[in-house]
Amino acid sequence: MTRTLQAQDVAFAYTPPLDVFTHVTAAVRSGEVTGLVGPNGSGKSTLLRVLAGLLRPREGKVLIDGRSSGHMSNRQRARILGFLPQLVNPVFSLSVFEVVCLGRYPHLGALGATQPHDRAVAERCLRDTETLDLRDRDFMALSGGERQRVLLASVLAQEPDLLLLDEPTSALDIHHQIEIFALLKRLAGEGYGIGVVTHDLNLAARFCNQLFLLSHRSTGLVAAGKPENVLTEALLSEAYDAPIRVCRHPLTGAPLITAEEPAEVTP
Amino acid sequence: MTKATRAAAVAGLIALCVALVAASLLIGTENLSLGRIYAEWRSGEPLSKTPALSILINQRLPRTLVALIVGCGLTLAGCSFQALLRNPLATPYTLGIDSFGAFGAYAATIYGGTGGWLTFQFLGFSHVQALAFAFAAFDVLLIYAMASRKTRMAPSVLLLAGVTLGLLASSGILFLRYLAKPEQLINMDRWLMGGVDVIGYEPVVTLFLGVTPCAIILLAQAAKFDQLGFGEEMAAGRGVNVNRLQLTTFLVCSFMTGIIVSKVGPIGFVGLIVPHAVRTVTGSRHRILMPASLVAGGAFLCLCDILARKLMTGETPIGIITSLIGAPFFLYLLTRRRFTDWET
Ligand SMILES: Nc1ncnc2c1ncn2[C@@H]1O[C@H](COP(=O)(O)OP(=O)(O)OP(=O)(O)O)[C@@H](O)[C@H]1O
Ligand SMILES: [Mg+2]
């Protein structure tokens, strides 16, 4: 089922009247990988929470398929929308498989008992994220990157149509970063809609269909559109308030982005 | 741990609980034998002529039932608070509920009693019990009020607030002791040590009617508590209404522990050590952990009550026993690596 998650002209403030962003219009669509990029504190996580329905915007609307997402029950929304927070601190010691099974929650009955079908889904998601060999390990005893992949598996196990992922590759090695983004691209090809926050502009350039560039300097969007139109030296330098260089990747042809070293300060 | 060993452990737990209940019925100042009880029952004589049967029905059974219900309730409340506040130390006792209840009971003893202006009966609750309930419930609602403020407090901060409230109530208790007449002090201090030494079925019925619905509601939250273990955002993203879960848990636990404290006084450590001990056997899925803790909590308090009857000639207050067993056992649990899991 094709879905569209839209933020229309939203503004949000944790402590009004101090807006994190205003007049942001963004969308996550089935079949596409949509990237949210921007410097630290620019409001990427906040925008993702607003899109996920966890925060109510001060102004503007969030729509799922054109209907206000506020009218849905949390459970209904959780079947459509999967959300992976930037930081997850579990307090209970569970096995990796149990953690992934927790993702089935919105599909389970009142008592939360998993059926064979739910466990099969969990197995498949472990395989997709290359974590099947961790299946019976204690989640607490995993490395940071292993945890991140298991958590991604648990959100996939939720089987939502749209995935909102907050920096799902921040702790991953160079190989697994590509693996996860390739997985996201494959999922988008299968019809999922994916919204992903990332600091890795090069991966974003390579794998995203749409980019939204946020900056606190403009309390909102600096640019939106195709990666090659957003990832330009002028726009990036404005958003990050620092000199950013863009060239072509010699192998992939995608934009290759680096920040310049700050100029030497002469006393 | 494999599924089979886990199932065996749960089965063992249930068997242990049944054994302890049976022991609690038979052991006491006067030990009863099954043969004697059976013979007296077969004789068809009235209770006044069958001493063993009379002790069993009028004393041991209500007392054992009270220990069971109280153990179940306190453990479930502890388990729920630990899940909700994401902290291993969260229990009714550490949140100050028992101290507040005791403060209420002290106040009622000073200003009530024969001729006092605060003497009344309400739905089978004496003025002491009613005030203990009111203050215990007030403590939880105060913490809930802090938890649900717009600028949300971190769970660990809430726990600190609870501990502080408990200390405040303890100071209040000292102040009331200072005001009290010496002859009032004995009754007051005995109340502070907790006791399930009831006679008759009135407290059993009150506790059963109060605790059962609360326990059912809390057990129904098990899957949500699992989700909360991965943080409020994750739980909310999975469709858990975190605010409603918080409200439900606080309201239900305040009512349930309020009733328990009002009837048997403060009994510490049950809600702390039982869930943690059970967790090491069943794992942390609340769907298994909570029912298993319920059974184990009842069994544990039955055991403590047997000790209360047998440790010395005469009665040892059960609150003292739970603390004397609970504190060292918790220290032992703390030294195990498993607890590093809880760093938040
Ligand atoms: N819970 C909160 N309460 C108050 N202010 C917050 C809260 N969370 C974030 N902020 C503020 O909102 C702004 C945007 O934060 P946000 O987490 O959305 O940034 P981000 O773009 O995700 O940054 P990063 O790249 O570091 O993850 C920041 O200035 C931050 O200080
Ligand atoms: Mg962020």
Side-chain angles (χ1 to χ4, degrees), chain A residues 14 20 38-47 49 86 166-167 199:
Chain A
Y14 287 103
V20 178
N40 289 138
S42 58
K44 304 179 295 297
S45 299
T46 307
L47 179 56
R49 287 182 201 128
Q86 184 173 359
D166 200 343
E167 302 195 25
H199 281 299

Side-chain angles (χ1 to χ4, degrees), chain B residues 96-176:
Chain B
I97 300 174
D98 295 74
S99 303
F100 259 75
F103 177 82
Y106 271 48
T109 317
I110 290 197
Y111 299 110
T114 26
W117 55 270
L118 202 78
T119 312
F120 61 88
Q121 281 278 335
F122 179 70
L123 293 176
F125 284 79
S126 70
H127 59 287
V128 175
Q129 291 169 337
L131 234 65
F133 173 82
F135 272 85
F138 174 70
D139 173 71
V140 192
L141 296 180
L142 210 59
I143 297 170
Y144 174 71
M146 289 191 247
S148 59
R149 279 188 339 154
K150 198 129 192 248
T151 50
R152 307 194 68 150
M153 286 167 88
S156 52
V157 182
L158 285 178
L159 182 64
L160 275 181
V163 170
T164 311
L165 284 172
L167 292 174
L168 177 69
S170 301
S171 321
I173 290 173
L174 280 181
F175 185 52
L176 289 179

Side-chain angles (χ1 to χ4, degrees), chain A residues 50-84:
Chain A
V50 168
L51 282 169
L54 302 182
L55 295 176
R56 199 176 290 277
R58 187 176 67 73
E59 266 175 32
K61 282 184 279 195
V62 176
L63 307 171
I64 298 181
D65 297 335
R67 294 185 50 222
S68 168
S69 78
H71 294 308
M72 277 181 197
S73 76
N74 293 7
R75 195 179 157 85
Q76 274 176 322
R77 198 175 49 217
R79 290 189 199 170
I80 298 173
L81 261 181
F83 174 68
L84 180 65

Side-chain angles (χ1 to χ4, degrees), chain B residues 197-254:
Chain B
D197 44 333
V198 299
I199 292 172
Y201 284 87
E202 186 258 66
V204 180
V205 172
T206 311
L207 281 167
F208 182 78
L209 291 181
V211 170
T212 311
C214 295
I216 291 171
I217 295 174
L218 289 175
L219 286 170
Q221 316 298 319
K224 294 179 188 144
F225 287 143
D226 280 342
Q227 297 296 330
L228 206 56
F230 280 71
E232 284 186 21
E233 278 199 314
M234 195 80 163
R238 294 259 170 79
V240 176
N241 187 334
V242 176
N243 288 333
R244 195 193 301 161
L245 178 63
Q246 201 170 39
L247 177 64
T248 311
T249 310
F250 269 107
L251 278 183
V252 166
C253 285
S254 78

Side-chain angles (χ1 to χ4, degrees), chain B residues 12-69:
Chain B
L13 194 67
I14 292 170
L16 184 70
C17 180
V18 172
L20 280 168
V21 168
S24 169
L25 289 175
L26 298 178
I27 298 174
T29 340
E30 188 172 353
N31 291 338
L32 309 176
S33 76
L34 279 177
R36 198 169 139 209
I37 290 169
Y38 183 68
E40 285 186 5
W41 182 66
R42 283 298 302 271
S43 73
E45 301 269 349
L47 276 186
S48 54
K49 297 220 175 97
T50 52
L53 202 57
S54 155
I55 291 179
L56 180 75
I57 288 178
N58 290 330
Q59 293 175 25
R60 297 282 166 76
L61 191 57
R63 187 179 174 142
T64 303
L65 288 174
V66 165
L68 259 181
I69 297 169

